[in-house]
């Protein structure tokens, strides 16, 4: 899917991208490399974001291939760490199963996960975009309205200098609270989980405190399940928190230390770099294409982070959406016509299903069902053919754009 920026295929055709997160950045780069006149509207006035705040940090094999095709994979690898396996564990019994992604050698050039905060990808692409004369990036441009008029997409930004933007196509990657989606009147049905997720980033080496863990670990427990995940700069721990719990009490430094010490004693306490607490949703927009508007990423679908599929599926949206727009500009509208069906199917039948199943298994309270789950995971991981089938789904190889 790579595009040679030295031979533009769509010179002068304007396209607006709303949002400069990993999804919008990926779409913008594809379009710019193809020669479109790309305007990126980003609500934040600055892209100086704390890496510790980045929720998404896992890049799956097909995503790595897409980014490699775009010419940004090598630099992203330099800013990340390779995770060749991941574990399912029980909080009291220890290791349940370890999945070795090397069984995917015949399926992908990237048989591993790359752990790297999403902001690293945004930074890499942003720097590329700023060198391209056919790209305009407007920071502090918060979209206040979106509509269709005379066959064009029209978006209006507010602030001290309101401005209107018109283009044959707009790719909306403006997040879960997408103004574009709301202005178009697109329903966003789904559900909110009964607990919030508390993410704590620590500078301590959890692999020294919990011997035997690898870079990514899903830890089941009927009372307090966990996710332990290593990034280049930190270890992250994800805890479930009852929705009714008082936010100030949950995020108080002493309370955070108590949760961490219950996980693994650490004389002197933990060095906490960042703490965040947020609600988690499973939602899918009724349609991802509305005339000249294409919704992508969190603007189109939300899921829980258990499995690292949210950012990845959003990047897959971006690749599909950008290439669909390029095809339409070239006279073939069929990819754009089918965009919503393809990407909604992936969101509904892969991402939503897999991530919700992960949540159900981690918090399973029935001792008998927990035992059956553990036995099935152990059998699957021990058999290379079964492990490959399992990993093709969990690594999103079955849903590439």
């Amino acid at each position: 899917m790579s595009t040679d920026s030295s031979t533009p295929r769509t010179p002068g055709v304007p396209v607006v991208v709303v949002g400069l997160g990993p999804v919008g950045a990926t779409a913008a780069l594809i379009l710019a490399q193809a020669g479109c006149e790309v305007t990126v509207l980003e609500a934040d006035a600055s892209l100086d974001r704390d890496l510790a705040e980045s929720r998404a940090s896992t890049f799956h094999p097909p995503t790595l291939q897409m980014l490699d095709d775009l010419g940004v994979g090598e630099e992203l690898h330099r800013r990340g760490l390779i995770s060749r396996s991941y574990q399912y564990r029980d909080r009291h019994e220890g290791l349940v199963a370890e999945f070795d992604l090397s069984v995917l050698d015949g399926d992908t050039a990237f048989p591993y996960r790359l752990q790297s905060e999403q902001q690293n990808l945004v930074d890499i692409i942003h720097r590329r975009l700023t060198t391209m004369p056919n790209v305009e990036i407007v920071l502090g441009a918060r979209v206040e309205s979106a509509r269709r008029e005379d066959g064009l997409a029209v978006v209006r930004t507010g602030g001290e200098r309101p401005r209107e933007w018109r283009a044959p196509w707009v790719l909306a990657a403006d997040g879960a609270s997408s103004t574009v989606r709301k202005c178009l009147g697109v329903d966003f049905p789904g559900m909110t989980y009964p607990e919030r997720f508390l993410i704590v980033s620590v500078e301590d080496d959890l692999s020294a405190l919990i011997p035997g863990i690898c870079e990514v670990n899903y830890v089941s427990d009927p009372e307090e399940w966990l996710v332990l995940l290593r990034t280049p700069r930190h270890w992250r721990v994800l805890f479930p928190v009852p929705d009714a719990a008082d936010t100030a009490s949950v995020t108080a430094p002493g309370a955070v230390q108590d949760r961490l010490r219950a996980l693994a004693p650490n004389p002197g306490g933990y060095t906490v770099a960042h703490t965040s607490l947020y609600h988690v949703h499973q939602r899918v927009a009724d349609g991802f294409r509305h005339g000249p508007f294409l919704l992508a990423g969190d603007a189109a679908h939300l899921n829980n982070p258990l499995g690292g599929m949210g950012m990845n599926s959003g990047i897959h949206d971006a690749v599909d959406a950008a290439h669909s727009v390029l095809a339409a500009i070239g006279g073939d509208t069929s990819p754009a016509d089918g965009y919503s069906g393809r990407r909604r199917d992936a969101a509904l039948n892969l991402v939503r299903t897999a991530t919700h199943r992960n949540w159900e298994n981690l918090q399973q309270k029935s001792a008998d069902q927990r035992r059956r789950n553990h036995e099935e995971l152990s059998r699957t991981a021990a058999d290379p053919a079964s492990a490959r089938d399992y990993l093709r789904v969990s690594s999103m190889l079955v849903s590439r754009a």
Side-chain angles (χ1 to χ4, degrees), residues 198-232:
L198 173 68
I199 295 182
V200 182
S201 297
V202 301
E203 297 179 3
D204 310 81
D205 182 6
L206 292 186
S207 62
L209 298 170
I210 312 173
I213 63 173
C214 56
E215 286 85 1
V216 179
N217 311 267
Y218 302 100
V219 185
S220 63
D221 186 78
E223 300 302 324
E224 187 181 66
W225 53 268
L226 304 162
V227 178
L228 310 175
L229 183 148
R230 184 183 172 195
T231 71

Side-chain angles (χ1 to χ4, degrees), residues 64-82:
L64 293 172
Q65 183 65 65
M66 294 171 187
L67 297 175
D68 191 63
D69 291 344
L70 276 174
V72 298
E74 183 176 346
E75 187 172 355
L76 184 64
H77 274 76
R78 289 199 296 270
R79 298 197 191 189
L81 61 89
I82 289 174

Side-chain angles (χ1 to χ4, degrees), residues 247-324:
T247 298
S249 298
V250 168
T251 57
V256 171
Q257 289 288 336
D258 288 344
R259 284 181 185 269
L260 292 169
R261 282 194 291 264
L263 170 64
N266 189 16
Y270 286 81
T271 303
V272 176
H274 183 76
T275 301
S276 62
L277 179 67
Y278 60 94
H279 287 98
V280 182
H281 309 272
Q282 293 275 53
R283 300 186 183 278
V284 179
D286 277 351
F288 290 9
R289 181 190 173 190
H290 299 269
F293 291 92
L294 300 183
L295 305 178
D298 286 354
H301 51 87
L302 295 172
N303 60 272
N304 77 56
L306 303 177
M309 291 186 171
M311 175 185 64
N312 286 269
S313 59
I315 292 173
H316 299 187
D317 293 344
V319 173
D320 192 328
H323 282 280
S324 294

Side-chain angles (χ1 to χ4, degrees), residues 47-371:
L47 294 180
D48 186 17
R49 299 160 179 162
D50 186 349
L51 287 176
E53 294 184 16
S54 295
R55 294 180 188 174
S57 59
T58 293
F59 291 85
H60 287 302
T63 311
L64 293 172
Q65 183 65 65
M66 294 171 187
L67 297 175
D68 191 63
D69 291 344
L70 276 174
V72 298
E74 183 176 346
E75 187 172 355
L76 184 64
H77 274 76
R78 289 199 296 270
R79 298 197 191 189
L81 61 89
I82 289 174
S83 175
R84 299 190 182 277
S85 63
Y86 66 89
Q87 294 179 354
Y88 286 100
R89 304 179 69 88
D90 181 274
R91 188 157 184 178
H92 303 287
E93 298 176 9
L95 180 64
V96 171
E98 181 167 341
F99 284 89
D100 182 352
L101 277 78
S102 68
V103 300
L104 298 176
D105 279 346
D107 297 279
T108 174
F110 304 95
Y112 50 79
R113 294 179 171 189
L114 184 73
Q115 298 302 117
S116 186
E117 295 87 351
Q118 68 177 36
Q119 189 57 30
N120 286 328
L121 177 64
V122 174
D123 289 342
I124 292 166
I125 295 180
H126 178 235
R127 285 190 291 102
R128 300 284 179 95
L129 292 173
T130 57
T131 68
M132 304 178 76
N134 56 323
V135 176
E136 179 185 14
I137 299 173
V138 187
L139 300 180
R142 183 174 298 279
V143 171
E144 292 189 345
S145 68
R147 68 184 191 277
R148 297 161 63 176
E149 185 177 291
D150 298 328
L152 295 177
V154 183
V155 294
R156 184 175 179 82
T157 56
E160 295 182 357
R161 297 181 178 179
R163 184 173 174 184
E164 199 164 80
W165 312 81
R166 293 171 178 263
W169 296 96
V170 168
L171 273 63
D174 51 339
S177 299
S178 170
T179 299
V180 174
R181 186 190 68 238
K182 292 175 181 177
C183 288
L184 296 176
V186 181
D187 286 339
F188 202 35
M191 53 88 75
T192 300
Y193 280 91
E195 70 264 271
R196 289 172 291 172
F197 285 9
L198 173 68
I199 295 182
V200 182
S201 297
V202 301
E203 297 179 3
D204 310 81
D205 182 6
L206 292 186
S207 62
L209 298 170
I210 312 173
I213 63 173
C214 56
E215 286 85 1
V216 179
N217 311 267
Y218 302 100
V219 185
S220 63
D221 186 78
E223 300 302 324
E224 187 181 66
W225 53 268
L226 304 162
V227 178
L228 310 175
L229 183 148
R230 184 183 172 195
T231 71
R233 298 178 62 199
H234 306 102
W235 272 92
R236 290 182 181 170
V237 187
L238 187 157
F239 299 96
V241 174
D243 190 43
D246 178 69
T247 298
S249 298
V250 168
T251 57
V256 171
Q257 289 288 336
D258 288 344
R259 284 181 185 269
L260 292 169
R261 282 194 291 264
L263 170 64
N266 189 16
Y270 286 81
T271 303
V272 176
H274 183 76
T275 301
S276 62
L277 179 67
Y278 60 94
H279 287 98
V280 182
H281 309 272
Q282 293 275 53
R283 300 186 183 278
V284 179
D286 277 351
F288 290 9
R289 181 190 173 190
H290 299 269
F293 291 92
L294 300 183
L295 305 178
D298 286 354
H301 51 87
L302 295 172
N303 60 272
N304 77 56
L306 303 177
M309 291 186 171
M311 175 185 64
N312 286 269
S313 59
I315 292 173
H316 299 187
D317 293 344
V319 173
D320 192 328
H323 282 280
S324 294
V325 167
L326 293 176
I329 291 172
D332 180 5
T333 60
S334 57
D337 292 339
Y339 168 75
S340 183
R342 289 189 300 274
R343 297 311 306 158
R344 282 193 84 244
D345 180 70
L348 288 167
N349 298 317
L350 173 70
V351 176
R352 184 178 68 170
T353 300
T355 57
H356 189 69
R357 182 175 59 244
N358 289 341
W359 174 79
E360 289 181 324
N361 289 342
L362 287 177
Q363 56 86 50
Q364 178 59 243
K365 299 188 184 306
S366 165
D368 288 342
Q369 186 59 50
R370 286 167 58 78
R371 176 179 51 77

